């Protein structure tokens, strides 16, 4: 099959008379390039597929990284083939193709070397080549493959990644083959069909496998589908991906994109054996599925519970507080993210916290014993769901507090990662530049943000340089967006009392955080020149100090009037500077007061 499919791509005529014909690397690259261009519908009336800029870019950054293995030192053969092919066509077409090859060259090399693009076939071909296998000899491939059992995966790549990428590549190649056959059947090409009726009758899957053998290692597809199928497990080997998909949905509801990172857990246990974390993920997924099938109160909320406790930085949550949220009780935003103390021990049976403790947990001082009784049923039902999940050993519940064990945190991090969600470890966030850390921490619960920022500074020994970088980032992160005020709000969660005076004085001229730095120095009784602070920083300090999130508008108006009375030029001048510095927050805080000149963004 490998020798008979895609025989009408013009390979022989392309290679005739060229010195490269005797170069096996160039010949192999030419076979793949011509075959893929033909499959994608390139015009073959001239005897070879005619490249177009669009087809060439697709070939370089999508098809070759999906289907073809090439050693890093051999990658240059593919642009060389395209250059030689472009030279066969007169006019501007050849020049356009050469320009696209030059432009897409760096993207092509990155894509071919990106572990995220690996399939089982491409990965095993690379391992086989590394141990000296003749990739064109199916007998040698078969012999060497036996020695690769348990071979390590690339750093940061999970078996589920390779499985998913392989499944996608299989679908894409089968679709391309099917379209090519239909296209040739509808309009018979002068160069002859790419696929015969016999090829298609044999099965598109077999044709695709034959091509993968040609483009990766001879006989590899047959071996991975047969005696060495355990080397390349398919979707059935990953039942936990159903739970991973549910967690992906939760993350998109929270952040809207997979690249927005969740905060790292303070402690995580991730076994080095990939099979161990997958087995734990399967057990957790099975528990979630069993709850959903059995029905009952909150039985379908398990993915949400798992996600939110991880999104809290894995700090313990309250059963009663979550039950109150599910029952649409009002929970004060100021307390909803606060960690819940975990008692050393507690009775196995769940008991709803006292009214006094509920007041602390919910931030609702009017709660009574009767309210506690109303919450007892829902809280007990939710505790039962948590206990079913805790039976896996990946969660715990002690009294009213529940959360992930370190092993459970590792499993959740794995499940998030296999669906492409940014779930960094603490060591990773500690190594980030200040700007990236502040951008991410702006969307995290305050306790998690405070912990990670403190760890970042501690790793750098709280030096003046580290503080200067962090203060500058707090002023520039999300600049000009509706999140700029939240970034400035992180100043309240870091221990500025320990900031070196030199870093604070260096920040006095900052147009955003200058006044904050001045106030810290003044509170510490240290020298600070207020004249250095820009007007914009002073106005933002006033704006952020207004009661903007809750409370009666009268108190907000009174606070603004008091600040405006002391501002040079009065309220109009103050509003103008505030609007120039942060129009989003100015509109949000002052718009409800009906102050002239302030409109919603």
């Amino acid at each position: 099959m490998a020798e008979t499919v895609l025989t009408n791509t013009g390979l022989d005529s392309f290679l005739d008379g060229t010195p490269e014909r005797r170069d096996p690397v160039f010949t192999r690259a030419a076979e793949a390039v011509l075959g893929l261009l033909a499959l994608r519908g390139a015009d073959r009336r001239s005897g070879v597929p005619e490249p177009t800029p669009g087809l060439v870019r697709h070939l370089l950054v999508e098809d070759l990284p999906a289907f073809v293995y090439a050693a890093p030192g051999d990658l240059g053969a593919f642009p060389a083939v395209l250059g030689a092919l472009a030279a066969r066509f007169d006019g501007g077409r050849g020049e356009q193709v050469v320009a696209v090859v030059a432009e897409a060259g760096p993207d092509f090399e990155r894509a071919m070397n990106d572990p995220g693009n690996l399939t089982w076939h491409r990965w095993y071909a690379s391992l086989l080549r590394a141990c000296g296998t003749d990739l064109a000899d199916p007998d040698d491939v078969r012999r060497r493959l036996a020695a690769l059992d348990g071979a390590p995966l690339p750093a940061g790549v999970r078996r589920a990644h390779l499985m998913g990428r392989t499944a996608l590549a299989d679908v894409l190649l089968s679709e391309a083959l099917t379209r090519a056959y239909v296209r040739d059947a509808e309009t018979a090409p002068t160069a002859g069909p790419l696929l015969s009726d016999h090829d298609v009758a044999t099965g598109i899957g077999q044709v695709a496998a034959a091509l993968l053998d040609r483009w990766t290692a001879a006989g590899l597809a047959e071996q991975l589908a047969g005696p060495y199928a355990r080397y390349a497990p398919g979707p059935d080997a990953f039942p936990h991906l159903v739970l991973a998909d549910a967690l992906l949905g939760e993350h998109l509801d929270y952040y809207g994109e997979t690249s927005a990172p969740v905060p790292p857990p303070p402690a995580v246990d991730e076994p080095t054996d990939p099979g161990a974390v997958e087995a734990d993920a399967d057990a957790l997924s099975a528990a979630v599925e069993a709850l959903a099938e059995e029905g009952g109160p909150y039985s379908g909320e398990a993915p949400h519970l798992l996600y939110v406790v991880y999104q809290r930085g894995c700090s313990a949550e309250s059963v009663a507080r979550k039950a109150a949220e599910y029952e649409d009780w009002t929970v004060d935003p100021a307390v909803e993210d606060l960690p819940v103390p975990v008692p050393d021990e507690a009775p196995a049976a769940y008991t709803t916290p006292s009214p006094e403790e509920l007041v602390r947990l919910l931030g609702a001082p009017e709660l009574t014993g009767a309210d506690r009784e109303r919450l007892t049923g829902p809280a007990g039902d939710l505790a039962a769901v948590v206990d079913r999940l805790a039976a896996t050993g990946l969660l715990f519940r002690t009294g009213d507090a529940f959360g992930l064990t370190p092993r459970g945190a590792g499993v959740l991090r794995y499940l998030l990662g296999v669906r492409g969600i940014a779930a960094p470890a603490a060591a990773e966030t500690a190594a980030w530049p200040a700007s990236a850390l502040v951008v991410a921490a702006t969307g995290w619960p305050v306790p998690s943000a405070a912990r990670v920022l403190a760890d970042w500074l501690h790793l750098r020994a709280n030096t003046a340089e580290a503080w200067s970088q962090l203060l500058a980032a707090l002023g520039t992160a999300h600049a000009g967006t509706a999140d700029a005020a939240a970034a400035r709000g992180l100043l309240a969660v870091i221990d500025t009392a320990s900031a070196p005076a030199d870093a604070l004085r260096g920040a006095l001229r900052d147009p955003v955080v200058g006044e904050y730095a001045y106030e810290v120095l003044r509170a510490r009784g240290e020298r600070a020149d207020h004249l250095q602070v820009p007007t914009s920083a002073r106005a933002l300090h006033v704006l952020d100090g207004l009661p903007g999130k809750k409370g009666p508008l009268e108190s907000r108006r009174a606070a603004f009037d008091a600040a405006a009375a002391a501002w040079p030029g009065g309220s109009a001048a103050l509003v103008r500077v505030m609007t120039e510095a942060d129009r989003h927050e100015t509109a949000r805080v002052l718009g409800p007061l009906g102050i002239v000149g302030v409109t919603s963004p």
Side-chain angles (χ1 to χ4, degrees), residues 164-551:
R165 184 67 180 171
T166 301
L168 176 61
D170 288 347
V171 169
L172 293 176
L173 185 54
S174 295
E175 286 180 348
L177 287 164
T178 302
R179 289 195 183 102
Y181 176 74
V182 172
R183 187 170 54 244
D184 286 353
E186 290 176 345
T187 305
T190 57
L194 291 171
L195 301 172
S196 68
D197 292 339
H198 174 72
D199 293 334
V200 176
T202 302
I204 289 294
Q206 290 194 41
V207 177
L211 289 174
L212 289 177
D213 277 357
R214 189 187 292 175
W215 295 337
T216 56
L220 180 59
E222 180 182 358
Q223 297 300 318
L224 293 181
Y228 294 100
R230 68 184 186 279
Y231 284 16
D236 290 345
F238 301 88
H240 56 263
L241 293 184
V242 175
L243 177 56
D245 287 335
L247 295 172
L248 171 61
E250 294 287 340
H251 184 80
L252 294 177
D253 285 344
Y254 267 73
Y255 294 103
E257 55 186 349
T258 57
S259 60
V262 286
V268 60
D269 179 10
E270 291 184 311
T272 55
D273 177 11
V277 71
E278 290 171 7
D280 279 343
D282 286 341
L284 185 60
S285 181
V288 170
E289 184 178 357
L291 280 166
E293 290 177 350
E294 293 170 11
Y298 311 120
S299 60
E301 295 296 334
H304 177 71
L305 290 173
L306 292 168
Y307 179 82
V308 295
V309 77
Y310 191 95
Q311 191 268 343
R312 289 167 55 83
C314 294
S315 63
E317 175 61 293
S318 159
V319 171
R321 186 159 64 196
K322 286 305 297 180
E325 291 177 3
Y326 281 129
E327 295 301 306
D328 293 326
W329 289 28
T330 299
V331 178
D332 187 344
V335 304
E336 62 183 359
D337 290 327
L338 292 181
V340 177
V342 181
D344 293 333
E345 57 183 26
Y350 179 77
T351 302
T352 310
S354 67
E356 294 77 17
E357 179 64 7
L358 287 176
V359 167
R360 189 188 72 81
L361 289 170
L362 306 183
E366 71 280 1
L367 289 176
T368 65
D371 294 317
R372 177 182 182 273
E373 289 302 315
R374 285 196 300 118
L375 192 60
T376 294
D381 291 335
L382 186 58
V385 171
V386 171
D387 288 347
R388 288 285 298 277
L389 298 174
T392 63
L394 305 176
L395 277 79
F396 70 87
R397 182 185 65 80
T398 308
D400 183 57
F402 75 96
L404 293 166
T405 64
R407 195 169 112 233
V411 170
L412 261 292
R413 183 166 179 258
Y414 160 76
L415 288 168
L416 294 169
V418 296
R419 282 301 178 243
I421 298 169
E428 294 176 64
T429 55
W432 285 354
S435 56
L437 182 63
V438 171
V439 167
T442 299
W444 293 345
V446 168
S448 295
R451 169 175 55 82
V452 176
L453 289 169
D455 289 345
W456 190 91
L457 287 166
H458 178 73
L459 182 67
R460 291 157 180 77
N462 278 299
T463 62
E465 181 181 1
W467 272 96
S468 295
Q469 293 173 5
L470 185 59
L471 290 170
L474 291 168
T476 55
H478 301 291
T481 74
D483 293 323
R488 296 194 302 273
L490 293 174
L491 282 160
V493 308
I494 57 177
D495 183 17
T496 52
S498 65
D502 288 347
L504 292 169
R505 291 194 185 97
L508 290 174
R509 295 185 179 87
D510 190 288
V512 174
V513 302
E515 185 72 4
Y516 293 88
Y518 172 78
E519 289 296 332
V520 173
L521 288 168
R522 188 175 66 85
R524 289 176 6 184
E526 300 188 40
R527 175 179 55 83
D529 183 3
H530 201 206
L531 294 177
Q532 295 184 32
V533 179
T535 303
S536 60
R538 300 185 193 188
L540 286 174
H541 191 267
V542 172
L543 176 64
D544 294 340
L546 296 176
K549 292 186 177 180
K550 62 177 182 177

Side-chain angles (χ1 to χ4, degrees), residues 97-125:
V97 168
V98 170
V100 169
V101 171
E103 176 198 357
D107 291 335
F108 163 65
E109 292 205 12
R110 276 194 296 271
M112 291 295 285
N113 292 316
D114 183 358
N117 286 332
L118 285 173
T119 62
W120 288 124
H121 302 86
R122 295 184 68 230
W123 173 235
Y124 281 113

Side-chain angles (χ1 to χ4, degrees), residues 63-99:
D63 280 350
L64 290 174
F67 310 128
V68 178
Y69 166 71
D74 297 341
L75 292 180
F78 294 91
V81 167
L82 286 167
L85 183 62
R88 297 171 66 102
F89 295 91
D90 298 328
R93 173 58 55 82
E95 295 177 359
Q96 292 174 346
V97 168
V98 170

